[in-house]
Amino acid sequence: MPFDVVQLREQFAALHQVSDGQPICFLDGPGGTQVPDRVIHRMSDVWVKGNSNLGGAFASSKAITKIVLEARSYCQALLNAPLASNIVFGANMTTLTFSLSRAISRDWHSGDEVIVTELDHYANVSPWKQAAKDRGAIIKQARIDTKEGSLDVPHLLSLINDKTRLVAVSCASNTTGSITHIKPIIETAHRFGAQVYLDAVHFAPHHLIDVQEWDCDFLVCSAYKFFGPQVGIAYVASPWLEIVEPYKVEPAPNVGPARFETGTQSFAQIAGVTGAIDYLASLGGDQGGLRTRLKQAYQDIGDYEQGLSSRFLAELKSLPNVSLIGRSEANHQVRTPTFALRFKGHTPQELAQALGAKNICVWSGHFYAIGLINALGIDQKEGVLRVGCMHYNTESEIERFFAWLRPWLS
Ligand SMILES: Cc1ncc(COP(=O)(O)O)c(C=O)c1O
C-alpha cells in the first residue's frame, strides 16, 4: 500500500512553516533534508535522560551504549551489511572519507593507480588525490558523458588495470541526479584486485542500498540527506575492518568499528540516525522485519518520486530559454528527482535569490561537483540551479516553482 504524502508530511514540523502567508517550499533536499518528529524526539531524549559517554557503570552511560548499538543495527538493515560492526560513524561523509583514505592508502606505492570520476562530489575526489600524492600513486579521472550529465562507465572501466588499487565512485550525482550502474564497476575492479569506495550520499534518500548485493569494499552516506541529523555513516566490509589500520589514539579500541571512530561521537545525532531509519521503515507498513519494511518503503518512494520527475520534466518541456543538464527521462532507475538547470538571460544565482525571497528553497552553484561543471564548460562561479525533490514534496510544490519561473523566461 503506497504511503499517503499528506499524512507523512504531518510528521515534518519544518514543512508546516508559513512565512509571509506562504508555506515554505523545500526543493533543496539534495543539500539536506527535513527531519520527521521522531528524529527530533530521539535526539532530545538523549539530553533529557542524561548526556553521558560510553563505558560507564551507571544508567545514562549504559543507555548511550545501547543507543550506539541500536543505531549500528538500524544502519546494518538500511545498507544490508552482514554485521552491525561493519557500520562506522563519523562527523560527516567528508571527514570519514579523509580519515579512511589516510588509512586505506598506507600501503599504496609509487606507480599504483587510483581512479576517481568527474561526476563525483569532490568529497570523493580530493581525499584520494591527496592520499595518492603522499604515496606517489597516480590519479586517473573517469570522464562524464556530457550529453547525459552522467558517468561514462565504459571510460571508467577502460582505466582499470592490474595497477589499480582503488576506484572511488558515486552511486548518483548530487547535481544532475544521474544514477551510475555500479555493479559492473565493482566486478571489474575486483577482477583486478582493486577496492571500491562508494559515495552513496545522494543515492540513499532515493534508493535502498544493498552492500552485499554490490559487494563493495566501502560505502559512505550522510544521515542529513536521508531525513536524519548531520552524521556520517561508513560501511567497511569485514576483511578491511581489521586489516586497514586507522590513524588512532593508542588506548582507543583496536577491534571493530570503534577503531575508526576517533574521539567522542555525537551520541544525540547517532540516536537521530535510528529515528530516520525507523521513519523510513514506517513508510513500508508494519509487516515484517526492518529490512522488509525498508524494501517496501523504498519501492513506494521510487514510484512516487518517478511521478514527481515526470511532472517536473513535462512542465520543463513547455518552457523556453531553459536547458536541463542531465537525463530527460523520468525513469527512477536512471535518475533521481534532482534537476540541474541553466537559463538564457539569467544566472542561477539570480533565480535562486528571487526564489528564496518567495520561500521556494533551491540551490545554485557547483555543489562541489567541480569535475562535472568544468567538463560541461560551465563557469564554476555560476554553476547551475538545482531543484531537488524528496518523497515529502508534492506536485503542487512543483507547480508553484514553475508558476513562478514561467514569467521570468518568456
Ligand atoms: C554526493 C555527495 N557526496 C558527498 C557529500 C559530502 O557529504 P558531507 O556533507 O556529509 O560531508 C555531499 C554533500 O553535499 C554530496 O552531495
Side-chain angles (χ1 to χ4, degrees):
M1 185 62 178
F3 51 73
D4 177 339
V5 71
V6 176
Q7 258 178 29
L8 73 81
R9 283 174 68 91
E10 287 298 317
Q11 300 180 51
F12 289 79
L15 300 181
H16 296 288
Q17 296 169 97
V18 172
S19 177
D20 299 334
Q22 286 262 53
I24 298 177
C25 180
F26 289 100
L27 294 171
D28 60 337
T33 50
Q34 303 311 314
V35 300
D37 298 340
R38 72 184 78 194
V39 169
I40 299 165
H41 295 149
R42 281 197 188 243
M43 291 177 68
S44 62
D45 254 18
V46 169
W47 293 301
V48 169
K49 293 185 177 155
N51 197 13
S52 198
N53 212 325
L54 297 170
F58 47 93
S60 56
S61 174
K62 287 179 181 170
I64 295 289
T65 304
K66 218 169 126 206
I67 281 167
V68 174
L69 292 176
E70 185 180 39
R72 280 201 220 287
S73 74
Y74 270 70
C75 290
Q76 176 191 3
L78 182 72
L79 306 182
N80 197 28
L83 303 167
S85 59
N86 294 124
I87 304 299
V88 173
F89 294 115
N92 47 54
M93 177 277 184
T94 306
T95 307
L96 275 170
T97 302
F98 267 110
S99 67
L100 282 166
S101 65
R102 308 305 303 159
I104 291 167
S105 62
R106 275 186 196 257
D107 70 342
W108 292 355
H109 301 292
S110 165
D112 284 347
E113 295 181 3
V114 179
I115 299 173
V116 294
T117 88
E118 279 180 351
L119 190 72
D120 276 70
H121 184 294
Y122 262 47
N124 200 28
V125 176
S126 301
W128 303 112
K129 277 172 101 169
Q130 289 166 44
K133 189 169 171 227
D134 289 350
R135 301 284 164 202
I138 297 160
I139 279 278
K140 293 182 169 177
Q141 192 159 25
R143 288 192 297 255
I144 57 155
D145 172 335
T146 47
K147 249 176 65 203
E148 289 234 303
S150 60
L151 184 64
D152 181 343
V153 175
H155 181 242
L156 188 151
L157 294 177
S158 76
L159 299 178
I160 303 176
N161 61 45
D162 52 17
K163 293 198 208 98
T164 310
R165 299 298 308 269
L166 181 128
V167 179
V169 58
S170 62
C171 306
S173 160
N174 66 331
T175 304
T176 64
S178 297
I179 290 174
T180 299
H181 190 29
I182 286 298
K183 198 84 204 250
I185 298 175
I186 297 175
E187 282 168 1
T188 309
H190 283 176
R191 220 172 324 116
F192 285 95
Q195 296 171 321
V196 179
Y197 190 98
L198 296 180
D199 175 352
V201 171
H202 183 67
F203 192 80
H206 305 291
H207 281 272
L208 187 60
I209 292 163
D210 189 335
V211 291
Q212 293 191 66
E213 219 266 307
W214 280 341
D215 189 25
C216 55
D217 302 279
F218 307 93
L219 177 142
V220 271
C221 55
S222 243
Y224 77 97
K225 308 280 191 178
F226 64 81
F227 323 106
Q230 284 78 359
V231 186
I233 300 156
Y235 161 75
V236 178
S238 289
W240 311 123
L241 199 65
E242 305 305 332
I243 295 170
V244 172
E245 203 187 317
Y247 287 84
K248 62 178 274 297
V249 180
E250 285 156 81
N254 268 325
V255 289
R259 298 173 79 214
F260 296 95
E261 293 170 342
T262 45
T264 303
Q265 296 296 302
S266 301
F267 300 123
Q269 317 281 94
I270 288 172
V273 174
T274 304
I277 299 170
D278 183 39
Y279 159 75
L280 281 164
S282 76
L283 301 180
D286 50 16
Q287 301 295 308
L290 195 49
R291 181 77 186 171
T292 306
R293 286 181 290 129
L294 285 166
K295 273 189 188 159
Q296 184 59 53
Y298 272 93
Q299 174 69 48
D300 295 343
I301 286 173
D303 292 345
Y304 180 76
E305 289 187 349
Q306 183 160 311
L308 294 180
S309 288
S310 298
R311 181 62 191 265
F312 190 96
L313 291 166
E315 293 274 358
L316 194 65
K317 262 198 203 128
S318 68
L319 280 187
N321 301 323
V322 53
S323 51
L324 172 75
I325 295 161
R327 292 172 169 154
S328 55
E329 51 179 324
N331 183 354
H332 196 64
Q333 296 311 311
V334 304
R335 68 139 49 254
T336 67
T338 295
F339 305 95
L341 307 176
R342 297 265 306 163
F343 305 89
K344 218 184 253 168
H346 301 286
T347 64
Q349 284 67 29
E350 187 187 355
L351 295 182
Q353 288 268 350
L355 280 157
K358 293 283 171 204
N359 290 312
I360 301 173
C361 315
V362 295
W363 283 100
S364 63
H366 55 61
F367 318 112
Y368 286 20
I370 52 174
L372 172 98
I373 296 295
N374 291 344
L376 291 167
I378 295 172
D379 180 352
Q380 267 190 28
K381 277 197 242 73
E382 284 196 5
V384 298
L385 187 84
R386 182 178 68 184
V387 186
C389 302
M390 292 288 152
H391 70 270
Y392 54 56
N393 290 117
T394 62
E395 289 199 29
S396 60
E397 288 178 313
I398 292 175
E399 268 170 40
R400 183 171 156 197
F401 167 77
F402 280 105
W404 177 91
L405 186 63
R406 199 160 280 114
W408 282 73
L409 301 183
S410 34

